[in-house]
Amino acid sequence: MNTIEVDSGPNTKVFDEETLGLDVPETAHQISTDSWFQAGFVLTTGINSAYVLGYSGTVMVPLSWIGGVIGLLLATAISLYANTLIAKLHLFGGKRHIRYRDLAGFIYGKKAYALTWGLQYVNLFMINTGYIILAGQALKAAYVLFRDDDVMKLPYFIAIGGFVCALFAIGIPHLSALRVWLGVSTVLSLVYIIVALVLSLKDGIKAPPRDYSIPGTHISKIFTTIGAAANLVFAFNTGMLPEIQATVRKPVVENMLKALYFQFTAGVLPMYAVTFVGYWAYGNSTSAYLLNNVNGPVWVKAFANICAFLQSVIALHIFASPMYEYLDTRFGIKGSAFKIQNLTFRITVRGGYLAVNTLVAALLPFLGDFMSLTGAISTFPLTFILANHMYLVAKKDKLTSSQKLWHWLNICVFGFLAVAALISALRLIAVDSKTYHVFADL
């Protein structure tokens, strides 16, 4: 029997989840239907998305071996800890909190609801923009293997990527409907990760000694190191854990914890492997898209790039789902997903949302900078600062003085890192904007 605690003033009551009349908010999407294993694959799809092809360049190059390895291990541990805090609050107060903003609003009030929704929207918008940049980069990388004629430029491929993402969003009504696509995503991820691993390993064995020093001037090293710290937390966190947990079957807290343990054990191993081997093979010349570094058969590299493109389309749908859920619920979209009215709504609204994403992606296609900025202004606040403070407020009567001090220490440290990372990310974007024009063909 699974029990949950409901705080009611100074006394805490314990109820059986199966018999407790939980207040569940209205939603147009399915909830409580998925196994913990499916939720684990949703989380792992995010970790092993095509973004992993950039961590050798955006994390390891600015931090080098010692900083990069220790940083990734620490980011794994603290991200698992912060996400378990959020997962444990899913049923807080006898109410099921199926959205991040619902949980914040329940604990703090209406202003926190609006602020959290704003932070989450910015977080997911920038992640989705990054996925469209990735999709465009992968398509261009495949194209130049056959025709390096400079006719098709990166913004064109980004536009194609955005269009395909919109088609997928129209056909898949909600997060739980991904099902078989999660298996497809896993296969696609394995293809480009294995190709990148094998070809990097082959290049590294044949290559002369590499330079692993941190490039740049003293000042630029400081800013790139801080930016890399933001990339570290970006790698592991979704900013939408309650929305994913909403899809999980009862017992919802226990099952979500199983999904998180799966994500942060088996799920991180492919990411570790490709990140470390890629940096080992190319040193500080590793690019922000590893498949641009590797040497091998043209057809193998092309296949890996196409897989990275397709996986980005699937992964984007996960991170766009909170916005889709909000819009579908707000406008009362119910019934068959393929009713003319519902199809028309998705074509218009989701297509319009992704058109804006695509425009921003083509305008500023600086992937590493987007990762840093996302980590700074939304991942740090949502996943670390807010998680620790919400848990502190929700469980204040049960925590010891040392536990309260621990959470306050986390809040202060991550608050400082968020400010530092924001300054660093804005500087990186400003520098790249001077180096490259808008709609740059990188």
Side-chain angles (χ1 to χ4, degrees):
M1 179 182 294
N2 185 56
T3 60
I4 63 170
E5 295 179 349
V6 177
D7 289 355
S8 54
N11 299 316
T12 299
K13 299 179 181 179
V14 180
F15 295 89
D16 170 34
E17 184 187 333
E18 298 293 334
T19 58
L20 179 64
L22 288 171
D23 181 9
V24 180
E26 181 184 358
T27 177
H29 288 191
Q30 287 185 10
I31 61 172
S32 305
T33 58
D34 301 341
S35 67
W36 70 264
F37 196 59
Q38 180 168 333
F41 264 93
V42 169
L43 294 167
T44 303
T45 294
I47 278 191
N48 292 302
S49 70
Y51 273 117
V52 301
L53 298 172
Y55 297 146
S56 296
T58 60
V59 171
M60 297 301 294
V61 170
L63 297 178
S64 196
W65 278 118
I66 296 176
V69 172
I70 294 175
L72 275 169
L73 293 175
L74 279 176
T76 304
I78 62 176
S79 298
L80 172 59
Y81 174 72
N83 279 282
T84 57
L85 293 181
I86 299 170
K88 289 175 181 178
L89 293 176
H90 193 74
L91 301 175
F92 175 67
K95 181 180 177 70
R96 187 162 187 189
H97 306 284
I98 65 171
R99 308 176 188 95
Y100 213 130
R101 61 190 183 275
D102 291 347
L103 177 59
F106 185 80
I107 293 174
Y108 300 120
K110 290 183 178 179
K111 290 183 179 179
Y113 175 96
L115 177 62
T116 304
W117 183 213
L119 280 173
Q120 189 183 35
Y121 174 81
V122 170
N123 178 64
L124 299 177
F125 181 87
M126 290 196 298
I127 290 174
N128 293 334
T129 300
Y131 274 121
I132 294 174
I133 295 173
L134 268 174
Q137 284 185 337
L139 273 184
K140 182 185 177 184
Y143 176 82
V144 299
L145 290 171
F146 301 97
R147 290 188 61 183
D148 194 5
D149 53 14
D150 216 28
V151 173
M152 289 288 288
K153 301 185 183 299
L154 180 59
Y156 305 156
F157 292 108
I158 287 175
I160 295 169
F163 178 73
V164 175
C165 288
L167 290 179
F168 191 78
I170 292 164
I172 307 296
H174 47 74
L175 191 57
S176 291
L178 279 172
R179 297 191 183 280
V180 69
W181 290 104
L182 294 174
V184 173
S185 173
T186 301
V187 172
L188 295 172
S189 297
L190 286 174
V191 169
Y192 60 71
I193 287 174
I194 290 171
V195 168
L197 269 174
V198 172
L199 296 183
S200 296
L201 191 62
K202 182 171 69 72
D203 287 347
I205 291 171
K206 295 179 179 180
R210 275 78 70 196
D211 183 3
Y212 296 112
S213 63
I214 300 173
T217 64
H218 180 69
I219 295 297
S220 67
K221 287 179 183 179
I222 294 173
F223 283 105
T224 54
T225 299
I226 296 171
N231 292 342
L232 282 171
V233 298
F234 172 86
F236 294 102
N237 298 286
T238 62
M240 52 174 285
L241 192 78
E243 286 81 357
I244 295 173
Q245 193 169 1
T247 67
V248 177
R249 294 196 287 258
K250 297 176 182 179
V252 65
V253 174
E254 287 182 11
N255 281 337
M256 194 64 208
L257 291 177
K258 289 179 184 177
L260 286 170
Y261 297 145
F262 176 80
Q263 175 195 10
F264 285 98
T265 52
V268 299
L269 295 180
M271 187 266 279
Y272 281 170
V274 75
T275 300
F276 295 146
V277 172
Y279 182 61
W280 167 79
Y282 308 106
N284 62 16
S285 64
T286 311
S287 73
Y289 184 67
L290 187 59
L291 290 178
N292 286 337
N293 285 99
V294 301
N295 297 292
V298 170
W299 72 269
V300 173
K301 293 169 63 177
F303 185 51
N305 279 300
I306 294 301
C307 287
F309 166 74
L310 294 174
Q311 201 277 344
S312 297
V313 173
I314 298 171
L316 181 146
H317 192 78
I318 293 172
F319 291 94
S321 61
M323 176 55 67
Y324 299 159
E325 187 274 334
Y326 167 75
L327 292 168
D328 291 353
T329 303
R330 173 69 178 79
F331 291 98
I333 302 302
K334 296 180 180 179
S336 171
F338 297 102
K339 281 171 52 179
I340 295 299
Q341 176 189 353
N342 293 349
L343 272 174
T344 303
F345 180 85
R346 290 204 299 277
I347 290 169
T348 305
V349 175
R350 296 186 184 185
Y353 173 74
L354 290 172
V356 175
N357 269 133
T358 304
L359 177 62
V360 174
L363 189 70
L364 298 169
F366 313 126
L367 183 62
D369 299 350
F370 262 100
M371 290 163 60
S372 298
L373 187 62
T374 305
I377 68 174
S378 51
T379 307
F380 272 125
L382 280 175
T383 305
F384 298 106
I385 300 172
L386 196 58
N388 275 279
H389 196 267
M390 285 196 300
Y391 196 81
L392 186 65
V393 172
K395 305 291 186 180
K396 60 184 177 181
D397 295 330
K398 303 176 190 175
L399 300 177
T400 64
S401 297
S402 59
Q403 288 174 322
K404 291 178 181 178
L405 181 62
W406 164 251
H407 288 293
W408 275 116
L409 180 64
N410 276 279
I411 292 164
C412 293
V413 168
F414 289 116
F416 171 78
L417 287 175
V419 173
L422 175 59
I423 295 170
S424 173
L426 291 175
R427 179 186 178 276
L428 288 171
I429 290 174
V431 169
D432 281 342
S433 296
K434 290 178 182 178
T435 306
Y436 306 102
H437 55 77
V438 294
F439 298 106
D441 183 32
L442 302 181

